[in-house]
Amino acid sequence: MPDGDVLPSPAELERLASSTARNAAALVTATYGRPDPVGRKSSPTDVVTQTDLRAEDLIRDQLRAATPEAGVLGEEGETTAPGARLQWVIDPLDGTVNFLYGVPIFAVSIAAALDGEIVAGAVIDVLRDELFSAHLGGGARRDGEAIEATGCTSLPSALVATGFSYHADQRDLQGEVAHRVLSRARDLRCFGSAALELCWVACGRVDAYFQRETEIWDRAAGALIAAEAGARTELPCPENDDLVVAAAPGVFDDLWSVVQFAAA
């Protein structure tokens, strides 16, 4: 990274996130089918594998070499340089439970924040070798081609994706909300990777996504990609009880009205 206050542009950060995500995906692919769990984190369902740790080390090393003054916030490792203007937010393996069981839906997610705002990101669907990326104000892409959210305008016509907490008490509440959505939407899916589900809103593979209790590394890149693809997004805050929503603009309000009281 240049000296002084000159920082890489959002477009440059998108390119760096993309190339680093591809390199990490190659590492993950090489170990698919041979998972090596090393422990649990917040609950018995929240696992970590050696692949998570190795992929995060690779990402940190490559980002550090390219942007030595930047900080890094990763799922598996410590936060570095928290006061730096440029911060990387990384999830080396989003969908670890899928990876552990051999379910072929998991991703590497890398986002860049400048002065606290997410300005670039990349998410790679590891086994499909499908790369989603965006930078602020520059639109969103899948393998370099522009993508956009669907024009769906009716919740009964919408395919909705969601995910569930690692904590049993929250799952009870989320199950009640899922029941409400099921009775109002075309259908409901849970794929096990928040990063990919946000990107699938961006490319029109699903019409909407919602979830509570995500972490910033789960959603940072994917939410930017969805927003840059024209989806309407809402990120967690105290007023919405930690809710993430990304949806086709014509679906957003109806979906939000169904899921907004999930934690009540």
Side-chain angles (χ1 to χ4, degrees):
M1 189 163 61
D3 292 335
D5 293 329
V6 179
L7 297 172
S9 69
E12 291 170 328
L13 293 169
E14 178 189 349
R15 287 191 289 270
L16 179 55
S18 297
S19 62
T20 305
R22 281 201 181 280
N23 292 337
L27 183 154
V28 174
T29 300
T31 61
Y32 180 57
R34 303 190 307 276
D36 186 8
V38 296
R40 300 170 178 175
K41 294 182 287 186
S42 63
S43 77
T45 56
D46 188 9
V47 296
V48 61
T49 71
Q50 286 286 357
T51 300
D52 294 76
L53 302 177
R54 293 183 188 122
E56 181 156 321
D57 286 344
L58 180 151
I59 294 168
R60 286 176 179 269
D61 288 347
Q62 294 194 3
L63 295 178
R64 188 180 299 114
T67 56
E69 297 179 17
V72 178
L73 171 62
E75 181 174 12
E76 311 304 343
E78 64 180 13
T79 300
T80 63
R85 292 186 60 202
L86 172 61
Q87 295 284 333
W88 292 102
V89 183
I90 61 177
D91 190 339
L93 183 50
D94 185 58
T96 299
V97 172
N98 284 349
F99 177 81
L100 185 65
Y101 278 83
V103 178
I105 303 174
F106 44 87
V108 176
S109 175
I110 302 175
L114 284 175
D115 298 324
E117 181 179 21
I118 302 296
V119 299
V123 175
I124 186 165
D125 185 334
V126 172
L127 294 185
R128 291 172 61 90
D129 192 30
E130 191 173 48
L131 179 69
F132 300 90
S133 66
H135 66 267
L136 190 64
R141 285 155 287 283
R142 178 178 58 200
D143 296 331
E145 299 294 325
I147 54 176
E148 62 181 4
T150 71
C152 184
T153 59
S154 166
L155 185 57
S157 299
L159 179 61
V160 180
T162 192
F164 298 101
S165 170
Y166 288 119
H167 301 103
D169 58 339
Q170 286 299 311
R171 286 186 175 195
D172 287 341
L173 295 167
Q174 290 168 332
E176 295 173 9
V177 175
H179 176 76
R180 295 205 299 266
V181 174
L182 272 171
S183 67
R184 292 166 173 83
R186 168 168 284 165
D187 215 336
L188 183 66
R189 297 284 188 270
C190 179
F191 297 102
S193 168
L196 282 180
E197 288 165 319
L198 285 161
C199 291
W200 291 351
V201 172
C203 73
R205 202 162 282 162
V206 297
D207 299 297
Y209 161 79
F210 74 95
Q211 188 172 343
R212 279 189 164 84
E213 285 203 356
T214 60
E215 300 290 350
I216 187 170
W217 45 75
D218 299 320
R219 62 181 184 262
L224 175 69
I225 293 165
E228 287 293 326
R232 186 174 165 191
T233 62
E234 179 168 327
L235 298 179
C237 64
E239 291 75 21
N240 70 14
D241 295 317
D242 198 34
L243 177 66
V244 177
V245 180
V251 175
F252 183 95
D253 285 335
D254 285 347
L255 177 63
W256 194 87
S257 70
V258 174
V259 304
Q260 65 173 312
F261 297 119

